[in-house]
């Protein structure tokens, strides 16, 4: 082994350890339900993005199993060569309808949906204006695109306008924002962003990874929540959160999708989603429409749990959605608190750098529609106990 390489490994790992940037990976011994089994012990699950409990929904499972029987385990190729099956196209039609757009394009993940959309549509000579707390996959897409970038302070519309004032000299300009911010659970000020991007002739891309299935009258996401249909050029989604599988998608006008089909590199150079995933996602979209109680219960649970954490005196930041952070500001404390909670039967992950700034280390909680009141009360009780022991609350 190369000596320089080995010493690089040693010093990098030692540096991460010294800064307390050690992510303990807990291994689930069963499905990602409202409770999970870890090391033989059942815990209340507060770390999953399986908001609506659809990963184990009978109709969603049955759709995946049937597709597995008929189409097999894989698509066999990239989409443009030989990997497009009827089942992918059906899923795309359902997603377009769900998001209220002309068309949609399946991608292998939310990550590649962001990278594929940004790099497929932007090039050197363009400007991208991005919220400072946007998801890493947006940031990586911007870097790869070669376009110029301006980062504006979180949700600061005045700063966004100052960036837009400098956009005239570019061929085109794209404003990008998360719809719901993944670590803080707050919602982007889309009406204000839309008004500004229209004034300056820019396009807008909204990443609704944590909003699809959750926000909006039919669960369509932030665009539906704010009734902004037709005003947002590109909507990004993931299939791995409320939709209960894995994968991502881009929802946009037919012409936008047509261009991305020809230019988006993850679409061109990485194989198609397995048919069972496309089938389960189509079924999940149907279930979201047929069982609105899941969304209502999710919000009911959100209110209960968020109020509970706030009443105990935890700093829950600016959250407005089922994502509720408990901000601690110290990576080691966050890791330790997560371990203490696990020992008490509550699974809540520490979120540390590089997922958030080092001084914003936290425990992030996400409630699910399928949590019972008893499970959430139990979790609040354990948060209170551990919070006192660690001196986080008094
Ligand atoms: C989770 C997430 C993604 C990535 O989605 P994957 O399907 O897990 O790759 C992208 N954007 C945001 C805002 C996310 O929260």
């Amino acid at each position: 082994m190369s000596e320089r390489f080995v010493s690089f490994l040693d010093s990098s790992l030692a540096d991460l350890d010294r800064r307390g940037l050690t992510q303990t990976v807990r291994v689930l011994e069963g499905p990602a339900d409202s409770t999970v089994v870890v090391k033989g012990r059942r815990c209340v699950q507060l770390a999953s993005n399986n908001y609506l409990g659809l990963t184990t929904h009978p109709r969603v499972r049955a759709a995946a199993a049937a597709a597995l029987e008929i189409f097999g385990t894989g698509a066999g190729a990239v989409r443009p060569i030989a990997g497009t099956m009827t089942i992918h196209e059906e899923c795309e039609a359902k997603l377009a309808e769900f998001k209220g757009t002309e068309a949609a394009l399946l991608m292998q993940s939310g990550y590649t949906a962001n990278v594929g959309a940004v790099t497929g549509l932007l090039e050197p000579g363009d400007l991208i204006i991005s919220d400072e707390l946007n998801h890493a996959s947006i940031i990586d897409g911007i870097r790869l695109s070669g376009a110029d970038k301006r980062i504006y302070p979180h949700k600061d519309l005045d700063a966004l306008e100052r960036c837009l004032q400098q956009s005239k000299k570019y061929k085109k300009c794209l404003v990008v924002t998360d719809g719901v911010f993944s670590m803080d659970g707050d919602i982007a000020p889309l009406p204000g962003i839309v008004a500004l991007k229209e004034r300056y002739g820019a396009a807008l891309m909204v990443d609704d990874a944590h909003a699809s299935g959750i926000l909006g009258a039919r669960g369509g996401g932030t665009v539906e929540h704010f009734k902004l249909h037709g005003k947002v050029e590109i909507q990004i989604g993931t299939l791995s959160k409320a939709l209960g599988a894995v994968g991502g998608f881009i929802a946009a006008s037919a012409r936008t999708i047509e261009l991305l089909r020809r230019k988006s590199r993850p679409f061109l150079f990485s194989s198609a989603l397995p048919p069972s995933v496309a089938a389960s996602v189509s079924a999940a979209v149907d279930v979201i429409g047929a069982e609105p109680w899941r969304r209502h219960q999710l919000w009911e649970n959100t209110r209960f749990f968020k109020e509970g954490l706030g009443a105990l005196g935890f700093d829950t930041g600016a959250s407005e959605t089922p994502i509720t952070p408990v901000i601690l500001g110290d990576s080691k404390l966050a890791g330790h608190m997560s371990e203490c909670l696990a020992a008490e039967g509550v699974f809540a992950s520490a979120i540390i750098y590089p997922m958030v700034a080092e001084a914003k280390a936290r425990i992030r909680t996400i409630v699910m529609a399928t949590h019972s009141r008893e499970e959430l009360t139990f979790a609040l009780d354990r948060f209170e106990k551990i919070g006192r022991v660690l001196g986080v609350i008094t």
Side-chain angles (χ1 to χ4, degrees), residues 109-111 114 135 137 178 180 182 207 209-210 238-241 247:
S109 68
Y111 185 99
N114 273 321
H135 192 262
S137 52
D178 282 11
V180 168
S182 50
D207 177 358
H210 284 280
T238 174
L239 310 177
S240 64
K241 290 172 180 152

Side-chain angles (χ1 to χ4, degrees), residues 177-193:
T177 183
D178 282 11
V180 168
F181 289 87
S182 50
M183 298 304 167
D184 292 274
D186 53 338
I187 302 173
L190 283 195
I193 295 176

Side-chain angles (χ1 to χ4, degrees), residues 131 152 155-157 160 164 175-178 181 187-199 202-206 228 231:
D131 186 291
Y152 60 95
K155 300 206 294 192
D156 183 337
L157 292 177
L160 170 58
L164 281 163
V175 178
V176 188
T177 183
D178 282 11
F181 289 87
I187 302 173
L190 283 195
I193 295 176
V194 164
L196 282 175
K197 71 100 182 172
E198 286 187 343
R199 189 171 318 149
L204 176 60
M205 173 169 131
V206 176
L228 291 170
K231 305 212 174 240

